[in-house]
Amino acid sequence: MFCPKCGIELPEDAYFCHKCGVKTSKGKEAGVSAAREDLKEAFAKVGEEMEKAFSVAASEIKKGFETARKEFREALSRATVTCSHCGYENSADARFCYKCGERLN
Ligand SMILES: [Zn+2]
Ligand SMILES: [Zn+2]
């Protein structure tokens, strides 16, 4: 027996082509319902939902990263170095005290 659609050789008792999924004349005779079609649809639906869920998760993760990065930058900009000489709080990237010129570590 050969597939009516793609022509591949099939076992005599095949109800469906294993390559293209088309129902064989034997399958039609037997009145087999194409469960595979339902499955395919169900899988496609699940796939869509998963994709949606994944893209939502991805954007949430991205948002999380952006928030963390922003917070990190803010924390960095808030960080200060206290001058050991005069006690003035210089910004973290200052190498010398703004007030007294003392070298900062
Ligand atoms: Zn086929
Ligand atoms: Zn100082």
Side-chain angles (χ1 to χ4, degrees):
M1 169 155 81
F2 296 92
C3 171
K5 194 179 173 196
C6 70
I8 197 171
E9 191 169 3
L10 299 169
E12 287 304 315
D13 59 349
Y15 288 158
F16 293 94
C17 172
H18 63 267
K19 196 171 176 213
C20 69
V22 82
K23 196 190 278 186
T24 64
S25 52
K26 182 117 182 161
K28 280 177 194 151
E29 260 171 50
V32 183
S33 70
R36 269 183 58 165
E37 290 301 307
D38 297 346
L39 270 183
K40 229 193 280 178
E41 253 170 59
F43 274 127
K45 185 106 184 110
V46 168
E48 254 171 55
E49 294 298 317
M50 295 258 282
E51 222 168 276
K52 245 183 266 171
F54 273 130
S55 66
V56 166
S59 76
E60 286 300 313
I61 288 168
K62 203 175 155 216
K63 239 185 275 171
F65 270 128
E66 271 164 18
T67 305
R69 202 161 50 192
K70 204 168 141 227
E71 278 171 5
F72 181 69
R73 256 197 229 130
E74 275 172 12
L76 206 66
S77 70
R78 272 200 306 270
T80 56
V81 179
T82 306
C83 174
S84 60
H85 184 246
C86 72
Y88 182 77
E89 286 195 353
N90 295 274
S91 66
D93 58 350
R95 293 180 66 195
F96 296 94
C97 176
Y98 286 131
K99 281 278 178 195
C100 70
E102 179 79 7
R103 197 187 169 88
L104 304 167
N105 295 316

